[in-house]
């Protein structure tokens, strides 16, 4: 979860995105759309006036960008980094769409993202979630053997500032992630809010191997598996956990996806395949041009008969909802907890020639029953909240429900 490019962070701070960047981006997007239409018309009619109009508009935009850049370079009270300015334009084009899941990554950020997707990265070692109502980013898990664990970061800590920049209402997990990640050996200063009080910690960045799966055998031969996110390492970790619990005599199973923000499609599909026979539809996507892409379960199930409960809450999102929804559709599991986050859209990464990348929302995904859960979520079969501090009433209910399954 993090990024060390101080030059990029300074560029974001100087306010270019809020004004110049988004304005330019909006203009470019409109212009690009118009140009595509005009180009089609020119191709169809051979109209040289249409082609001239395209050229004129492009010249106008180029001239305006150059003019604004000169004003900023001459009058802005700090030195303007041209590389940062350029990255800001690309970032602003993505931001201007109003879709928080569509974004631009610099080369360094993209490399960090790929590293994290594999389940190993350099940072402080925490898992976070976004409170949709407050816009706050909250620590939901502190990884063992991490620097965050060593300095005393706790689950429930709320990010307030990172290296002096206010992040108390950013509404973007990605921004917090980019600011916290960085090169091994560097330090990040983070102020958290804990029990209403500020807690300031200096945390060294170091290599983190993510434990995305934790498990144990509970009473009455009930296996318990918690999946924190779906990364490159998650599928093998999950299958190892299931096999170990089976050796211990597991008769029933709880899969805890609370606060799981999602992750990779290939990972979650492989995990769903562990519990449901192959060749069944896992989900399908519908893209802008109407193209449908079907994703089927793989033929490598290892646990199809064990009665199962899936435990979710309002922070269970994206891939965790896909898994939950598919298991619910096939009546493979009973769902316990609260209504999930509601992210039923898919993103794809497009690497650019200079090593940077765009992450773009390409369409919606649908569960096997044809339902799209975007901004709706999945309603549990048994709804229960954690209302008493210090007591996990949701887990207790899951234990009760799974004990009654046959």
């Amino acid at each position: 979860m993090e990024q060390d490019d101080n030059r990029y962070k300074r560029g974001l701070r100087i306010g270019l995105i809020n004004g110049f960047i988004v304005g330019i981006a909006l203009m470019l997007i409109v212009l690009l759309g118009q140009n595509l239409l005009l180009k089609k018309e020119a191709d169809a009619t051979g109209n040289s006036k249409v082609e001239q109009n395209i050229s004129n508009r492009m010249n106008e935009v180029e001239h305006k960008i150059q003019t604004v850049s000169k004003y900023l370079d001459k009058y802005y009270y700090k030195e303007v980094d041209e590389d940062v300015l350029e990255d800001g334009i690309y970032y602003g084009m993505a931001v201007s769409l109003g879709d928080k899941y569509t974004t631009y990554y610099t080369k360094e950020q993209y490399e960090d993202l790929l590293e994290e997707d594999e389940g190993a990265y350099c940072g402080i070692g925490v898992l976070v979630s976004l409170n949709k109502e407050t816009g706050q980013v909250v620590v939901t898990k502190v990884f063992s053997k991490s620097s965050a664990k060593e300095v005393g970061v706790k689950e429930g800590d709320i990010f307030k500032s990172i290296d002096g920049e206010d992040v108390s209402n950013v509404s973007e997990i990605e921004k917090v992630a980019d600011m916290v990640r960085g090169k091994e050996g560097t330090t990040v200063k983070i102020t958290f809010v804990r029990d209403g009080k500020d807690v300031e910690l200096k945390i060294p960045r170091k290599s983190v191997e993510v434990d995305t799966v934790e498990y144990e055998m509970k009473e009455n031969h009930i296996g318990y598996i918690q999946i924190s996110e779906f990364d490159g390492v998650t599928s093998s970790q999950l299958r190892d956990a299931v096999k170990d619990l089976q050796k211990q005599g597991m008769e029933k199973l709880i899969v805890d996806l609370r606060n799981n923000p999602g992750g990779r499609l290939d990972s979650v599909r492989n995990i769903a395949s562990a519990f449901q026979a192959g060749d069944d539809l896992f989900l399908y996507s519908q893209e802008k041009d109407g193209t449908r892409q079907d994703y089927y379960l793989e033929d490598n199930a290892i646990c199809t008969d064990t009665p199962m409960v899936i435990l979710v809450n309002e922070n269970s999102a994206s891939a965790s909802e896909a898994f939950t929804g598919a298991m619910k559709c096939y009546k493979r599991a009973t769902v316990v907890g609260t209504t999930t986050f509601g992210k039923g859209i898919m993103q794809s990464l497009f690497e650019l020639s200079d090593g940077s990348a765009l992450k773009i929302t390409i369409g919606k995904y649908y569960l096997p029953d044809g339902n799209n859960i975007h901004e709706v979520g999945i309603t549990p079969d048994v709804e229960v909240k954690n209302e008493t501090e210090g007591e996990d009433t949701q887990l207790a209910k899951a234990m009760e429900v799974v004990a009654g399954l046959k």
Side-chain angles (χ1 to χ4, degrees), residues 341-359:
F341 185 88
K343 182 175 182 285
I345 51 178
M346 299 178 68
Q347 287 74 42
S348 281
L349 280 165
F350 300 88
E351 184 173 346
L352 305 179
S353 59
D354 62 353
S356 61
L358 281 172
K359 183 176 72 173

Side-chain angles (χ1 to χ4, degrees), residues 26-41:
L26 285 169
M27 182 172 63
L28 285 173
I29 288 169
V30 172
L31 179 65
L32 288 172
Q34 291 175 340
N35 283 348
L36 288 173
L37 293 175
L38 290 172
K39 185 67 168 60
K40 288 180 180 179
E41 183 181 342

Side-chain angles (χ1 to χ4, degrees), residues 246-309:
Q246 288 172 332
K247 289 180 181 178
Q248 295 181 47
M250 176 178 67
E251 297 177 359
K252 299 180 180 183
L253 175 64
I254 296 171
V255 176
D256 191 347
L257 298 181
R258 290 177 296 178
N259 301 314
N260 183 318
R264 292 169 46 159
L265 175 59
D266 59 344
S267 175
V268 69
R269 179 169 62 164
N270 188 273
I271 287 171
S273 300
F275 299 105
Q276 179 71 19
D279 297 329
D280 284 331
L281 181 67
F282 175 52
L283 57 81
Y284 66 91
S285 64
Q286 196 86 30
E287 297 184 11
K288 185 177 183 178
D289 62 359
T291 301
R292 170 171 166 160
Q293 177 70 48
D294 293 333
Y295 298 89
Y296 289 91
L297 296 172
E298 301 165 4
D299 188 19
N300 54 8
I302 58 173
C303 185
T304 58
D305 300 323
T306 304
M308 182 167 68
V309 160

Side-chain angles (χ1 to χ4, degrees), residues 229-244:
E229 56 187 341
F230 294 96
D231 290 334
V233 298
T234 307
S235 178
S236 61
Q237 290 179 358
L238 178 282
R239 288 173 177 271
D240 288 345
V242 170
K243 291 174 182 178
D244 190 22

Side-chain angles (χ1 to χ4, degrees), residues 48-179:
S48 60
K49 289 183 178 180
V50 173
E51 294 177 350
Q52 186 61 47
N53 285 338
I54 294 174
S55 178
N56 290 342
R57 287 301 303 275
M58 293 300 291
N59 288 336
E60 289 172 6
V61 170
E62 182 180 357
H63 175 72
K64 188 167 184 178
I65 290 175
Q66 290 175 349
T67 302
V68 173
S69 296
K70 288 178 181 177
Y71 274 115
L72 289 172
D73 186 54
K74 183 175 182 178
Y75 295 109
Y76 186 70
Y77 78 107
K78 294 182 180 179
E79 183 179 352
V80 176
D81 188 316
E82 294 299 327
D83 292 337
V84 171
L85 197 63
E86 181 182 344
D87 281 334
I89 293 175
Y90 308 140
Y91 180 78
M93 291 180 71
V95 167
S96 68
L97 297 175
D99 173 18
K100 63 184 178 181
Y101 302 110
T102 295
T103 191
Y104 167 78
Y105 295 98
T106 65
K107 179 181 179 180
E108 293 79 9
Q109 290 172 322
Y110 182 48
E111 290 172 350
D112 288 343
L113 179 69
L114 294 179
E115 185 181 64
E116 184 174 0
D117 279 349
E118 289 303 319
Y121 64 97
C122 188
I124 65 172
V126 297
L127 183 67
V128 301
S129 66
L130 175 68
N131 186 314
K132 290 192 293 184
E133 295 181 357
T134 65
Q136 296 174 323
V137 177
V138 184
V139 176
T140 55
K141 182 177 180 179
V142 182
F143 294 117
S144 60
K145 300 180 181 179
S146 68
S147 55
K149 184 80 170 180
E150 292 168 359
V151 302
V153 178
K154 297 183 178 180
E155 293 181 9
D157 284 352
I158 300 169
F159 281 85
K160 182 177 181 180
S161 69
I162 301 174
D163 285 334
E165 180 172 345
D166 182 14
V167 294
S168 58
N169 188 23
V170 294
S171 299
E172 295 178 44
I173 288 180
E174 289 85 358
K175 180 174 181 178
V176 171
D178 289 342
M179 294 175 70

